[in-house]
Amino acid sequence: MNKYFFILLFLSSCCFYGQQKVFKGDPDVAFKNARELAFNGARKQAQDTLLLILTKYPTYNDVRSFLASTYSWDGLYKKARKEFAQVLKNDSDRLDTWEAAIKNELYSDTPFSALEMANKALKYFTDNDELLYLKASAQEDSNNQEEALKTIEKLLEKNPKHKKAINYKNDLINKLSHNSIGLRSSVEVYSEVFDPMQYYLLQYGRQTKYGSINAKVNFSRRFASNGWQFEVDLYPRISEGLYAYLNFGTSESTLFPKIRYGAELYKSLPKSFEASLGFRSLKYSEITNIYTGSVGWYTGNSYWSFRSYVTPDNAGSSISGTINYRKYRKDANNYFSIDAGMGFSPEIYRFEFEGNQNAIINLNSQKLNLGYFFTSKNDKNAWGIRSGIVHQEISFDPGSYLWVFDIGLSWDIKFR
């Protein structure tokens, strides 16, 4: 619509209504003009017109309700609350006003008031879909996700094809699923010397109000022998923007360290950055300490990170590093990743370390990995596929290299 029309509309509104203390004119025409002004960015002028109409027609509830909505859009929640309350006092049989008034309470971060209003509205409009949806939203915002799920399930009993409610139910179930079980499997194929090596992991995780805990069982088949390792990872929340990583593992097999442990602190920084600093310790015939740190950066749907490992030694320190990039889709469980790195990583047991850990830690290597991770429609199941290639120096033949090709699959399921 021509921009000059709105200029004329505004000027005409000023001429007819702007200087009046009591409205004179056709209220319906003035209301129509005010709506057009509000929807085209002239909200203050629209509100002036609506208030003027109400000087003569104080019970024109459509006008007062729309005025309240414009206040809510502008973040003037107290003003909106006052006008909504007057409309509903005059006429409680107004579904759209109840909905707008409840949303105003949700927008203003007063979920208990929103819940109270939703319950009142449902006395007039029993089991109304939109009111039940808003009630569930208020219950969730009041830290009562269990009750929110019951309300959404009640809505879906009556209207099983309600798309918003179906998506909301899945989201609530996902949030309430504090337990998970995960499986990982991977195989490495070597260009020479070694037979294929197999790795498997079974993991149980639980989210708590203090952070998450993960218990893991690792199994490896390498060098014609089998080995088991048991680990626990903790991610305690310390304060806003600060959390830790704690790890402890043990094994009776020479394929793994007898004991491994580690700790790291993560801190959120301005401009969507995150940094960490910590260590890992591996005990074979002797203890090797590895110091690590990382810097991460979130930008839009992308995440960049760099992690480095430094291992002190009498002959000098060994340094390795990895750059990782992730491109997220709908959430943190759906993404594509690529990482490239050089040097030893304490998370990978590719050789027999017993008595050789210093030589192995100083080995040269280069790697490139690709990964794709995605979830089911209801977000209960998560899958991943990862593949990579490594150019690895041989531990018993320094200066000689081989190629390692690996592929891995993962699956996690969440449950309550």
Side-chain angles (χ1 to χ4, degrees), residues 367-414:
K367 66 178 181 179
L368 178 67
N369 293 307
L370 300 174
Y372 181 68
F373 301 85
F374 58 99
T375 59
S376 59
K377 189 174 182 180
N378 61 7
D379 291 327
K380 285 183 65 176
N381 293 275
W383 293 277
I385 181 169
R386 184 190 59 79
S387 64
I389 183 171
V390 180
H391 190 225
Q392 177 70 62
E393 187 176 11
I394 302 174
S395 62
F396 52 83
D397 189 10
S400 298
Y401 288 79
L402 51 74
W403 292 95
V404 185
F405 306 91
D406 72 273
I407 186 166
L409 301 173
S410 65
W411 170 65
D412 293 270
I413 183 170
K414 292 183 177 181

Side-chain angles (χ1 to χ4, degrees), residues 97-142:
T97 302
W98 280 109
E99 292 174 1
I102 296 166
K103 289 177 182 177
N104 182 68
E105 299 305 311
L106 291 172
Y107 299 153
S108 65
D109 292 325
T110 53
F112 292 102
S113 296
L115 181 57
E116 182 180 3
M117 290 193 71
N119 286 327
K120 286 181 180 178
L122 284 165
K123 292 179 180 178
Y124 298 100
F125 304 94
T126 306
D127 293 341
N128 175 268
D129 287 357
E130 186 61 23
L131 291 177
L132 286 172
Y133 189 92
L134 291 172
K135 178 180 177 180
S137 299
Q139 288 170 323
E140 183 186 9
D141 288 354
S142 304

